Coordinates of all heavy atoms in Angstrom, one line a residue:
V1 N 26.4 -18.0 7.8 CA 25.3 -18.8 7.3 C 24.4 -19.2 8.5 O 23.1 -19.2 8.3 CB 25.8 -20.1 6.6 CG1 24.7 -21.0 6.2 CG2 26.6 -19.7 5.4
E2 N 25.0 -19.4 9.6 CA 24.1 -19.8 10.8 C 23.2 -18.7 11.2 O 22.0 -18.9 11.4 CB 25.0 -20.1 12.0 CG 24.3 -20.5 13.2 CD 25.2 -20.8 14.4 OE1 26.4 -20.8 14.2 OE2 24.7 -21.0 15.5
A3 N 23.6 -17.4 11.1 CA 22.8 -16.3 11.4 C 21.7 -16.1 10.4 O 20.5 -15.8 10.7 CB 23.6 -15.0 11.6
V4 N 22.1 -16.4 9.1 CA 21.1 -16.3 8.0 C 19.9 -17.3 8.3 O 18.7 -16.9 8.2 CB 21.7 -16.6 6.6 CG1 20.7 -16.8 5.6 CG2 22.7 -15.4 6.3
M5 N 20.3 -18.5 8.6 CA 19.3 -19.5 8.8 C 18.4 -19.2 10.0 O 17.2 -19.4 10.0 CB 20.0 -20.9 9.0 CG 20.7 -21.4 7.8 SD 21.7 -22.9 8.0 CE 20.4 -24.1 8.3
K6 N 19.0 -18.6 11.1 CA 18.3 -18.3 12.2 C 17.3 -17.1 11.9 O 16.1 -17.1 12.3 CB 19.2 -17.8 13.4 CG 18.5 -17.5 14.7 CD 19.5 -17.1 15.7 CE 18.8 -16.6 17.0 NZ 19.8 -16.1 18.0
G7 N 17.8 -16.1 11.1 CA 16.9 -15.0 10.8 C 15.8 -15.3 9.8 O 14.9 -14.5 9.7
C8 N 15.9 -16.4 9.1 CA 14.9 -16.7 8.1 C 13.5 -17.0 8.7 O 12.5 -17.0 8.0 CB 15.3 -18.0 7.3 SG 16.5 -17.7 5.9
A9 N 13.5 -17.1 10.0 CA 12.2 -17.3 10.7 C 11.2 -16.1 10.4 O 10.0 -16.3 10.2 CB 12.3 -17.5 12.2
N10 N 11.8 -14.9 10.3 CA 11.0 -13.7 10.0 C 10.4 -13.8 8.6 O 9.2 -13.6 8.4 CB 11.8 -12.4 10.1 CG 11.0 -11.2 9.9 OD1 10.8 -10.7 8.8 ND2 10.4 -10.6 11.0
L11 N 11.2 -14.2 7.6 CA 10.8 -14.4 6.2 C 9.7 -15.5 6.2 O 8.7 -15.3 5.5 CB 12.0 -14.7 5.4 CG 11.7 -15.2 3.9 CD1 11.0 -14.1 3.2 CD2 13.0 -15.5 3.2
G12 N 10.0 -16.6 6.9 CA 9.0 -17.7 6.8 C 7.6 -17.3 7.3 O 6.6 -17.7 6.8
R13 N 7.6 -16.5 8.4 CA 6.3 -16.0 8.9 C 5.6 -15.2 7.9 O 4.3 -15.4 7.7 CB 6.6 -15.2 10.2 CG 5.4 -14.5 10.8 CD 4.5 -15.4 11.6 NE 5.2 -16.1 12.7 CZ 5.5 -15.5 13.9 NH1 5.1 -14.2 14.1 NH2 6.1 -16.2 14.8
H14 N 6.2 -14.4 7.2 CA 5.6 -13.5 6.2 C 5.1 -14.4 5.0 O 4.0 -14.2 4.5 CB 6.5 -12.5 5.7 CG 6.8 -11.4 6.6 ND1 5.8 -10.5 7.1 CD2 7.9 -11.0 7.3 CE1 6.3 -9.7 8.0 NE2 7.6 -9.9 8.1
V15 N 5.9 -15.4 4.6 CA 5.4 -16.3 3.5 C 4.1 -17.0 3.9 O 3.2 -17.0 3.2 CB 6.5 -17.3 3.2 CG1 6.0 -18.4 2.2 CG2 7.7 -16.6 2.5
Q16 N 4.1 -17.6 5.1 CA 3.0 -18.3 5.6 C 1.7 -17.4 5.7 O 0.6 -17.7 5.4 CB 3.3 -19.0 6.9 CG 4.3 -20.1 6.7 CD 4.9 -20.5 8.1 OE1 4.9 -19.8 9.0 NE2 5.5 -21.7 8.1
N17 N 2.0 -16.1 6.2 CA 0.9 -15.2 6.4 C 0.2 -14.8 5.1 O -1.0 -14.8 4.9 CB 1.4 -13.9 7.1 CG 1.6 -14.1 8.6 OD1 1.2 -15.1 9.1 ND2 2.2 -13.1 9.2
V18 N 1.0 -14.5 4.1 CA 0.5 -14.1 2.8 C -0.3 -15.3 2.1 O -1.4 -15.1 1.5 CB 1.6 -13.6 1.8 CG1 1.0 -13.4 0.4 CG2 2.2 -12.3 2.3
K19 N 0.2 -16.5 2.3 CA -0.5 -17.7 1.8 C -1.9 -17.8 2.4 O -2.8 -18.3 1.8 CB 0.3 -18.9 2.1 CG 1.5 -19.1 1.1 CD 2.1 -20.5 1.4 CE 3.2 -20.7 0.3 NZ 3.8 -22.1 0.5
K20 N -2.1 -17.3 3.7 CA -3.4 -17.4 4.3 C -4.5 -16.6 3.5 O -5.7 -16.9 3.7 CB -3.3 -16.8 5.7 CG -2.5 -17.7 6.7 CD -2.4 -17.1 8.1 CE -1.6 -17.9 9.0 NZ -1.4 -17.3 10.3
F21 N -4.1 -15.7 2.7 CA -5.0 -14.9 1.9 C -5.3 -15.6 0.6 O -6.1 -15.0 -0.2 CB -4.5 -13.5 1.7 CG -4.4 -12.7 2.9 CD1 -3.2 -12.6 3.7 CD2 -5.5 -11.9 3.4 CE1 -3.1 -11.9 4.8 CE2 -5.4 -11.1 4.5 CZ -4.2 -11.1 5.3
G22 N -4.8 -16.7 0.3 CA -5.0 -17.4 -0.9 C -4.3 -16.9 -2.1 O -4.7 -17.0 -3.2
V23 N -3.1 -16.2 -1.9 CA -2.3 -15.6 -2.9 C -1.0 -16.4 -3.1 O -0.3 -16.5 -2.1 CB -2.1 -14.1 -2.7 CG1 -1.3 -13.5 -3.8 CG2 -3.4 -13.4 -2.5
P24 N -0.7 -16.9 -4.2 CA 0.6 -17.6 -4.4 C 1.8 -16.7 -4.2 O 1.7 -15.5 -4.6 CB 0.5 -18.2 -5.8 CG -0.5 -17.4 -6.5 CD -1.5 -16.9 -5.5
V25 N 2.9 -17.2 -3.7 CA 4.0 -16.3 -3.2 C 5.3 -16.8 -3.8 O 5.6 -18.0 -4.0 CB 4.1 -16.4 -1.7 CG1 5.3 -15.6 -1.2 CG2 2.9 -15.9 -1.0
V26 N 6.2 -15.8 -4.2 CA 7.6 -16.0 -4.5 C 8.4 -15.1 -3.7 O 8.0 -13.9 -3.5 CB 7.8 -15.9 -6.1 CG1 7.4 -14.5 -6.5 CG2 9.2 -16.2 -6.4
V27 N 9.6 -15.5 -3.4 CA 10.5 -14.6 -2.6 C 11.6 -14.0 -3.5 O 12.2 -14.8 -4.3 CB 11.2 -15.4 -1.4 CG1 12.3 -14.6 -0.8 CG2 10.2 -15.8 -0.4
A28 N 11.8 -12.7 -3.4 CA 12.9 -12.1 -4.2 C 14.0 -11.8 -3.3 O 13.8 -11.0 -2.3 CB 12.3 -10.8 -4.8
I29 N 15.2 -12.3 -3.5 CA 16.4 -12.0 -2.7 C 17.0 -10.8 -3.4 O 17.7 -11.0 -4.5 CB 17.3 -13.2 -2.6 CG1 16.6 -14.5 -2.1 CG2 18.5 -12.9 -1.7 CD1 17.5 -15.7 -2.1
N30 N 16.9 -9.7 -2.8 CA 17.5 -8.5 -3.4 C 19.0 -8.5 -3.1 O 19.5 -8.5 -2.0 CB 16.9 -7.2 -2.7 CG 17.4 -5.9 -3.4 OD1 17.9 -5.9 -4.5 ND2 17.2 -4.8 -2.7
H31 N 19.8 -8.6 -4.1 CA 21.2 -8.9 -4.0 C 22.1 -7.7 -3.5 O 21.9 -6.6 -4.0 CB 21.8 -9.4 -5.4 CG 23.2 -9.8 -5.3 ND1 24.2 -8.9 -5.8 CD2 23.9 -10.9 -4.9 CE1 25.4 -9.5 -5.7 NE2 25.2 -10.7 -5.1
F32 N 23.0 -8.0 -2.6 CA 24.0 -7.1 -2.2 C 25.4 -7.7 -2.5 O 25.5 -8.9 -2.5 CB 23.9 -6.8 -0.7 CG 22.9 -5.8 -0.3 CD1 21.5 -6.1 -0.4 CD2 23.3 -4.5 0.1 CE1 20.6 -5.1 -0.1 CE2 22.3 -3.5 0.4 CZ 21.0 -3.8 0.3
T33 N 26.4 -6.9 -2.8 CA 27.7 -7.4 -3.2 C 28.3 -8.3 -2.1 O 29.2 -9.1 -2.4 CB 28.6 -6.3 -3.6 OG1 28.7 -5.3 -2.5 CG2 28.1 -5.6 -4.9

């Protein structure tokens, strides 16, 4: 879990970037077993 939280910074950057274009965003967590 600690590594997941640390790695989320990459996801967060993309979320914030897409919002800069004025487009609402949702994240899809593509599930692995």
Side-chain angles (χ1 to χ4, degrees):
V1 176
E2 183 180 350
V4 169
M5 294 174 66
K6 182 180 177 184
C8 276
N10 185 271
L11 171 60
R13 172 78 59 79
H14 288 297
V15 170
Q16 292 163 339
N17 282 350
V18 171
K19 284 185 173 183
K20 290 177 182 177
F21 293 92
V23 180
V25 177
V26 60
V27 172
I29 305 173
N30 186 17
H31 181 259
F32 279 71
T33 54

